[in-house]
Amino acid sequence: MKVVKFGGSSLADGNHFEQIIKIIKADPERKAVVVSAPGTRFKGDIKVTDLLIQYANAVLANEDYQELQQAIIARYQNITEHFQLDSSILAKITQTIKQLPFQNYPNDDYLMAGFKAQGEYLNAYTLSQVLNQIGIKTKFMDPRKIGFLVSDKAQDAHVLPDTYDNLEKYPNTDIHLIFPGFFGITKDNQIATFSRGGSDITGSIVAKGLNASVYENFTDVNAIYSVDPHIVKDPTSIHVMTYREMRELSYAGFSVFHDETIIPAIEAKIPINVKNTSHPELPGTMIIPENEFEPTNLITGVASSKGFSALYLHRYLLNKEVGFTLKILQILYKYDVSYEHMPSGIDDLTIIFDNKQLTPAKKEKICAEINAALHPDQLEWIDNYAIIMIVGEGMQKSSATIENIIRPLTDHDIKIHMINQGASKIALMLGTDDADAEKSVKLIYQHFFDNNRIVN
């Protein structure tokens, strides 16, 4: 059995539904389907999930929401009329949308989750009705009825082990199973949504729960590329990569899906095939376990991520003082701040932060407490910090990897603040100024890739 996940751009309207139906029918192994809410149909269009968020906010603010209701209903009406479904189906959709403000929610977070989840819920319901009408026997996998259970954090839920036990009850039969993505049900029977890449998380969970042979994730790109196409035109596509290469690159900004979303599939060692909905005949990118992969190239991909800052600390004989790092971590804990990386030397320590969790006031307080507790010789923030991630299973096989990566940057006078290689030796992280990030990525890519052919 294959589990197939379609994103919102693949489900935007009736014409898009026609395409995914062709994909489902083209492979008899595609028995389980996970769907997102309808995405944008054209430039300037609004995703159904965003409309639902506006609807929820209007309810919370006691504002008029009639137009928002009608706009959401119209999106599903487009699909039901396209396939000439029975009017009772649109009537059920309409009733569901109009009843949302009158449900019982424990708090505003649960209200928001309950509204947001309807995009996926109603799209999965609609697709199941369409498939049944055209003769494809289908079961709508309502999370409440099948026991798709999640933790009780309304907008940051995590799957519970019971869900996998419940999914095992569905054997590999000729019936197609249609799952709504993005949410599950708490043990208190409330809707709770996943935080990021929600439908991708559902797809990965379903793939693990049904012991799929492959998890196919259909998107709007032909494959995963060795570099961001916005930075380098027509970059090399990656045909095969490992789970850990994907996770390392996702951390640095690869946006096909967030790395956390595929953890259930990784745990079950299920291959993940990223494919293009518009060109399903293309092979896409296959993501597989490390023990099944033999690298043929040194570098698989290079990515960058901005929005970081670093706290640089210098003190002589820092490495000799027991508990020095512990004191810093206790200060960060006090201000509810986590760090991304902490490379260190004999007398130096650099702590890298994601700027989303920092404010000028919080930075000032952290510095003051570190100064008071540790008396460093030098303490300064490095703002506008970027991380460059170079990833490849083949990097383990070369003793000159770091030299080859750094040379094109130093040749172009790019200042490198930090060099950090993980224990796995498949990834090298560099710290640069924000302003140098894209140029650094281009230079590294050009050094290893020439006219879309890899330089060994």
Side-chain angles (χ1 to χ4, degrees), residues 163-178:
T163 295
Y164 294 114
D165 295 334
N166 295 333
L167 288 173
E168 285 181 357
K169 300 172 185 176
Y170 294 91
N172 190 354
T173 67
D174 289 337
I175 298 177
H176 286 72
L177 310 175
I178 311 299

Side-chain angles (χ1 to χ4, degrees), residues 18-83:
E18 294 276 11
Q19 176 65 10
I20 70 164
I21 290 168
K22 290 179 184 176
I23 292 171
I24 293 168
K25 292 169 68 175
D27 188 342
E29 291 297 308
R30 291 173 176 146
K31 286 295 190 294
V33 180
V34 178
V35 303
S36 298
T40 57
R41 298 159 294 181
F42 46 82
K43 187 176 181 179
D45 196 18
I46 303 176
K47 299 176 182 178
V48 166
T49 300
D50 291 338
L51 289 171
L52 287 161
I53 292 170
Q54 292 178 29
Y55 182 15
N57 284 327
V59 171
L60 290 170
N62 293 316
E63 297 173 352
D64 182 73
Y65 49 72
Q66 302 300 319
E67 287 188 13
L68 287 166
Q69 280 185 342
Q70 292 306 315
I72 296 165
I73 292 166
R75 295 297 299 272
Y76 294 99
Q77 183 176 1
N78 167 277
I79 300 167
T80 59
E81 290 182 351
H82 182 95
F83 292 98

Side-chain angles (χ1 to χ4, degrees), residues 102 351 403:
F102 309 107
I351 312 170
E403 177 190 352

Side-chain angles (χ1 to χ4, degrees), residues 185-255:
I185 305 300
T186 71
K187 291 193 172 181
D188 291 331
N189 204 34
Q190 292 289 333
I191 287 175
T193 58
F194 299 120
S195 59
R196 293 186 287 184
S199 295
D200 290 327
I201 295 175
T202 304
S204 190
I205 292 167
V206 171
K208 178 180 178 180
L210 297 179
N211 192 28
S213 58
V214 177
Y215 168 35
E216 293 184 323
N217 192 300
F218 280 86
T219 69
D220 56 1
V221 296
N222 290 338
I224 299 172
Y225 297 101
S226 293
V227 70
D228 186 343
H230 295 101
I231 297 176
V232 176
K233 186 178 179 181
D234 299 325
T236 298
S237 59
I238 302 171
H239 300 299
V240 184
M241 67 191 306
T242 65
Y243 295 144
R244 59 182 181 175
E245 285 178 325
M246 182 70 234
R247 281 179 53 77
E248 296 280 8
L249 288 168
S250 292
Y251 172 79
F254 267 47
S255 58

Side-chain angles (χ1 to χ4, degrees), residues 334-346:
K334 176 181 177 180
Y335 290 99
D336 193 29
V337 172
S338 62
Y339 69 92
E340 300 293 318
H341 304 279
M342 193 184 292
S344 62
I346 296 174

Side-chain angles (χ1 to χ4, degrees), residues 1 23 42 55 57 132 156 178 182 200 284 301 327 340 378 391 395 427 431 439 453:
M1 174 190 287
I23 292 171
F42 46 82
Y55 182 15
N57 284 327
N132 276 317
D156 188 17
I178 311 299
F182 188 37
D200 290 327
K327 292 176 183 177
E340 300 293 318
Q378 184 179 352
V391 176
M395 290 167 62
K439 183 178 180 181
R453 297 188 63 182

